[in-house]
Amino acid sequence: GESVGLHLPTLSVQEGDNSIINCAYSNSASDYFIWYKQESGKGPQFIIDIRSNMDKRQGQRVTVLLNKTVKHLSLQIAATQPGDSAVYFCAENLTGNQFYFGTGTSLTVIP
Amino acid sequence: GAVVSQHPSWVICKSGTSVKIECRSLDFQATTMFWYRQFPKQSLMLMATSNEGSKATYEQGVEKDKFLINHASLTLSTLTVTSAHPEDSSFYICSAQAIRTGGVAGYTEAFFGQGTRLTVV
């Protein structure tokens, strides 16, 4: 598989600050990407998606940026809240095929 | 949106026994489902692609005789961990792909089950 099992990097932010979570993907042919949020003991939950012909997409309090040149995705969370504390994964997809997950980042929001 | 249900949520078994995990798509048909494994503080690792009516496709390094996958209907895939050992203890998650309302048009999203925590003692 293309995902690599590594220990999660961590990010701590103060409540109300903005968070930026980064992800490097592996396949330059991947054309669709999703950010997922995973809380402890639960399956991943969809946050936002983006396709490869876009470089930015905005949702409610979240923005995803895609840089295909360096195969990099970022997730920006505005006004981070305690409920945002979780592990965040990016997933890459080549249309019709499997999703492969990045390493993930553990976000802790400090009240 | 699409719902994927996984059962059981948690199972403890003795070393040497086999454990079956079920993954169901509740409100849509899934010709393809995916099985992932997740160790603590690590990412999801794709184990295999489960294809309805045919053999599963396993990722490199995953033992197909150890992790038996059956996808007998359009709404059910099962993963059986055979002769489980403590090193098989992990969090197993299934997913199925479907079009997401509100997502990028024309693209499918992976909908996940809630996961199964397997502890082999």
Side-chain angles (χ1 to χ4, degrees):
Chain A
E2 299 178 18
S3 58
V4 179
L6 299 173
H7 288 280
L8 297 171
T10 58
L11 174 66
S12 295
V13 298
Q14 290 290 138
E15 181 178 359
D17 287 352
N18 297 333
S19 302
I20 299 177
I21 300 171
N22 297 303
C23 175
Y25 63 93
S26 57
N27 188 346
S28 58
S30 293
D31 57 4
Y32 180 52
F33 306 87
I34 299 179
W35 276 100
Y36 286 96
K37 174 185 180 182
Q38 186 180 27
E39 297 176 330
S40 181
K42 298 182 180 179
Q45 294 178 297
F46 174 95
I47 299 175
I48 191 169
D49 56 0
I50 189 169
R51 57 186 294 185
S52 59
N53 65 350
M54 306 164 72
D55 53 20
K56 181 178 180 179
R57 192 157 189 255
Q58 288 183 296
Q60 187 176 12
R61 281 204 306 121
V62 293
T63 300
V64 55
L65 299 177
L66 173 63
N67 185 331
K68 295 182 290 294
T69 303
V70 295
K71 294 188 289 186
H72 182 269
L73 278 165
S74 68
L75 176 70
Q76 300 177 2
I77 305 173
T80 313
Q81 302 168 0
D84 295 327
S85 294
V87 177
Y88 291 82
F89 295 98
C90 68
E92 60 180 302
N93 177 255
L94 183 58
T95 304
N97 294 313
Q98 303 91 329
F99 281 86
Y100 288 97
F101 285 79
T103 307
T105 297
S106 177
L107 175 66
T108 300
V109 181
I110 303 167
Chain B
V3 177
V4 175
S5 177
Q6 197 170 333
H7 177 81
S9 299
W10 190 14
V11 56
I12 302 173
C13 70
K14 290 185 177 180
S15 185
T17 62
S18 296
V19 174
K20 179 185 285 188
I21 303 170
E22 294 186 348
C23 179
R24 295 181 185 273
S25 56
L26 296 187
D27 51 359
F28 66 104
Q29 293 182 331
T31 55
T32 303
M33 291 184 176
F34 303 91
W35 286 96
Y36 293 84
R37 181 175 183 177
Q38 186 178 32
F39 290 107
K41 299 189 185 300
Q42 292 192 17
S43 186
L44 285 77
M45 299 287 290
L46 179 66
M47 298 175 64
T49 302
S50 172
N51 304 299
E52 187 268 334
S54 65
K55 291 183 179 180
T57 304
Y58 290 82
E59 295 295 296
Q60 189 175 6
V62 177
E63 300 175 61
K64 61 180 181 181
D65 295 330
K66 173 85 174 166
F67 299 100
L68 300 179
I69 292 172
N70 183 277
H71 195 151
S73 78
L74 289 172
T75 60
L76 174 64
S77 174
T78 61
L79 169 67
T80 301
V81 183
T82 63
S83 186
H85 289 93
E87 58 265 30
D88 298 323
S89 298
S90 187
F91 194 55
Y92 293 88
I93 307 175
C94 69
S95 76
Q97 295 187 15
I99 301 291
R100 177 180 173 84
T101 303
V104 177
Y107 285 75
T108 59
E109 175 195 341
F111 291 87
F112 289 87
Q114 64 269 43
T116 297
R117 183 165 301 284
L118 171 64
T119 302
V120 184
V121 298

